[in-house]
Amino acid sequence: MYKSVSVEDVFRIKKLYTAFQMAYDSDYYFEGEYHNFWEIVTVINGEIGVTAGGDVFVLKKGQAIIHEPMEFHRLWSEGNTNPEIIVFSFGAENMPQFSSKIFEIEDVLLSQKILKDIQSSFGTKDFQGADVIKNSGTDYQIAVKKLEMFILEMISQKILDDLPVKTKGAENFKKAVGVMENNIDKNLSVSEIAKMCNMSEIGLKKTFSKYTGIGVMAYFNRMKITEATDMIRNGMSIREVALTLGFSNQNYFSTVFKRITGNPPSHYKI
């Protein structure tokens, strides 16, 4: 008699959105974004500054950061360097838990090889999921499995302590995001948030311009909409969600929701 062991909740990449390598000038700034899939950014040369949620980091060659779905993130060139990065973004089932955003990559050449394998097997040098034509055979499956193994090995090795930047500006940004998180159910103005952070309104606006590239209220609304998607998926009505998150009425909430996500709130109902 043969006995078996059930293999459940196995990590698997279900969708690939992007896979690319880019080099930037020393004055490069990316305006920032958030999306409903995972993203891994690996630095293969130079240094980058990264906003990830409420934290600010500086990553050097051989380091990587994981952005969770719906986490706001932004990057820029740091240290007067011309950074070069590799980005993989993907949708996954059963993504393993990890306690750090920042990881050390022992072999950056491996990430480059995986990138080339993906680009080759999908028949494109500029991988943008919806624009590629999948080749027949198993090459693309092997390439995706290599990416899965790369991710598993990365998050299972000795992790780096998250060391957010400790400048006054970065600390003010973290404080402001914390105030927003703790008051996400309220309809706060910029002046009210600034007062709760012991900052001037101008100072608060400059802080968000530097670390997010968007306005204070735009960031606060994005936080609210991120929270709203989970509430809707968990069965709350759209009206309940709107009132819980401090919106004046359901129609205004739906307008903001669609402007930020591209879909109406009903799209997230299970």
Side-chain angles (χ1 to χ4, degrees), residues 2-248:
Y2 290 98
K3 294 183 178 180
S4 65
V5 175
S6 297
V7 181
E8 300 176 350
D9 300 329
V10 176
F11 166 57
R12 181 185 176 195
I13 292 176
K14 296 284 289 182
K15 296 180 180 179
L16 278 176
Y17 290 90
T18 60
F20 62 88
Q21 181 172 336
M22 288 292 292
Y24 300 111
D25 294 332
S26 58
D27 59 352
Y28 176 76
Y29 268 88
F30 172 63
E31 287 301 318
E33 65 179 357
Y34 83 126
H35 40 62
N36 63 349
F37 45 83
W38 297 87
E39 182 170 287
I40 294 177
V41 179
T42 302
V43 183
I44 58 175
N45 272 308
E47 298 180 9
I48 62 170
V50 181
T51 298
D55 290 314
V56 180
F57 302 95
V58 173
L59 274 65
K60 300 180 179 181
K61 179 180 178 180
Q63 294 181 339
I65 186 167
I66 296 181
H67 296 298
E68 299 181 19
M70 305 304 286
E71 175 184 79
F72 180 86
H73 51 281
R74 185 189 196 198
L75 66 82
W76 58 90
S77 302
E78 267 285 350
N80 199 32
T81 65
N82 298 89
E84 197 167 356
I85 63 172
I86 289 177
V87 177
F88 297 111
S89 59
F90 56 93
E93 285 183 346
N94 303 312
M95 183 73 175
Q97 292 185 345
F98 49 91
S99 57
S100 171
K101 292 179 183 290
I102 311 298
F103 299 87
E104 196 82 55
I105 305 297
E106 294 183 358
D107 184 5
V108 294
L109 294 179
L110 177 58
S111 60
Q112 290 177 300
K113 184 179 185 307
I114 293 171
L115 174 63
K116 289 179 180 178
D117 287 345
I118 289 174
Q119 293 173 333
S120 175
S121 63
F122 282 90
T124 179
K125 290 184 178 180
D126 183 19
F127 187 98
Q128 302 289 334
D131 299 326
V132 304
I133 299 174
K134 185 169 61 181
N135 289 344
S136 60
T138 59
D139 286 353
Y140 78 94
Q141 296 183 51
I142 293 172
V144 172
K145 290 300 178 186
K146 287 180 179 178
L147 178 57
E148 290 175 352
M149 286 301 300
F150 174 76
I151 294 168
L152 288 172
E153 290 175 0
M154 180 181 73
I155 63 180
S156 64
Q157 66 183 351
K158 184 181 182 298
I159 61 175
L160 295 177
D161 292 333
D162 284 357
L163 297 174
V165 174
K166 295 296 185 181
T167 63
K168 184 176 181 180
E171 288 295 304
N172 283 338
F173 174 67
K174 185 177 181 67
K175 181 194 296 183
V177 172
V179 166
M180 292 176 177
E181 288 175 343
N182 293 331
N183 294 276
I184 202 164
D185 60 329
K186 297 181 177 65
N187 183 19
L188 298 177
S189 66
V190 175
S191 60
E192 288 171 328
I193 295 171
K195 185 176 181 180
M196 295 170 77
C197 295
N198 296 315
M199 296 174 63
S200 69
E201 191 171 333
I202 292 175
L204 181 66
K205 289 179 178 179
K206 286 183 176 179
T207 296
F208 272 78
S209 177
K210 179 177 181 179
Y211 292 112
T212 71
I214 60 176
V216 178
M217 296 312 300
Y219 189 92
F220 194 26
N221 279 334
R222 289 189 181 198
M223 289 179 64
K224 287 174 177 281
I225 297 309
T226 299
E227 187 76 12
T229 56
D230 288 336
M231 292 179 173
I232 294 168
R233 287 192 180 106
N234 289 330
M236 288 183 67
S237 72
I238 295 171
R239 181 177 180 277
E240 287 176 315
V241 172
L243 293 176
T244 300
L245 293 175
F247 286 90
S248 56

